[in-house]
Amino acid sequence: MLNLLCAEAGGSSWPMLLIIGALFIVMMLITIIPQRKRKKEAQQMMQSVRVGKKIRTIGGFVGEIVSLDNKNNTMELNVGTKEAPVIVLMDQGAIGTVLNPDAPQQAAPAQEKTADTTVAPDAVTADDAAEDAVVAEKAAEKKAKKDAKKKEKAEKKAAEQESQADEVVTENVETAETTSEVDADSFNSEVSH
């Protein structure tokens, strides 16, 4: 097809250069537009980050933002629990995903601190050990009750089987006694004949 265009143009190469130029522009647009869209989304995510938001970093840390230092472009992230906070200082560019983007904001401007005045705060995370302990305790109680009911049923069943076995033994003994009496009577009658 390109040969036909060149042949119709009288041997000049300007139509070929025009086609190659058009293809180059299309390829550039195909790569640049999605890249700009991703950059815009990343900027919006960075602007939505506030103190109290739970995030996942590009390094894999999951935690709650304790403080932001916009001057140095850093943040403090609590990757521990409420009872045992583990505070990590990270660059804000390390944010990979905001895990609770729709969570209500907690007076963010009042809670933003500079790096010099930071104190280890009590941060709340989804991995709250106290809540996990309560849930585990309730589950253990339910399991214990269930096991106790099963044990009680098994004991009742064993007692019923034992009483049935006693009845069978008693019947067998009575049957044996009756049979031995009948045998003794028939032996006596045979002997007397």
Side-chain angles (χ1 to χ4, degrees), residues 23-167:
L23 289 174
F24 181 74
I25 291 173
V26 169
M27 295 280 283
M28 291 298 288
L29 290 175
I30 289 174
T31 58
I32 291 174
I33 292 174
Q35 192 175 32
R36 283 187 180 176
K37 185 177 179 183
R38 282 191 299 271
K39 187 176 179 181
K40 185 178 179 182
E41 288 173 355
Q43 285 176 345
Q44 287 176 348
M45 179 187 65
M46 292 298 287
Q47 291 173 355
S48 73
V49 172
R50 299 281 184 253
V51 173
K53 295 256 181 154
K54 190 169 182 180
I55 64 164
R56 178 181 298 125
T57 67
I58 57 176
F61 284 104
V62 175
E64 185 175 327
I65 296 175
V66 176
S67 68
L68 292 170
D69 183 7
N70 291 330
K71 181 180 176 185
N72 295 325
N73 203 26
T74 59
M75 65 181 168
E76 288 185 351
L77 186 67
N78 179 10
V79 294
T81 62
K82 183 178 181 180
E83 290 79 26
V86 178
I87 307 299
V88 180
L89 181 65
M90 295 193 145
D91 186 44
Q92 288 183 6
I95 297 172
T97 309
V98 178
L99 298 177
N100 59 351
D102 298 327
Q105 296 180 0
Q106 309 170 345
Q111 291 185 1
E112 290 182 2
K113 304 174 187 175
T114 61
D116 299 335
T117 61
T118 351
V119 178
D122 293 336
V124 179
T125 64
D127 298 329
D128 191 10
E131 290 178 13
D132 291 345
V134 169
V135 170
E137 186 178 327
K138 287 181 180 180
E141 287 176 5
K142 283 183 180 180
K143 185 173 176 21
K145 286 179 182 179
K146 201 176 205 182
D147 290 343
K149 286 182 180 181
K150 284 182 181 179
K151 185 177 180 182
E152 185 179 321
K153 285 182 180 180
E155 288 174 356
K156 283 183 180 179
K157 190 173 184 178
E160 288 176 8
Q161 289 176 348
E162 189 176 313
S163 67
Q164 287 176 352
D166 288 343
E167 289 175 12

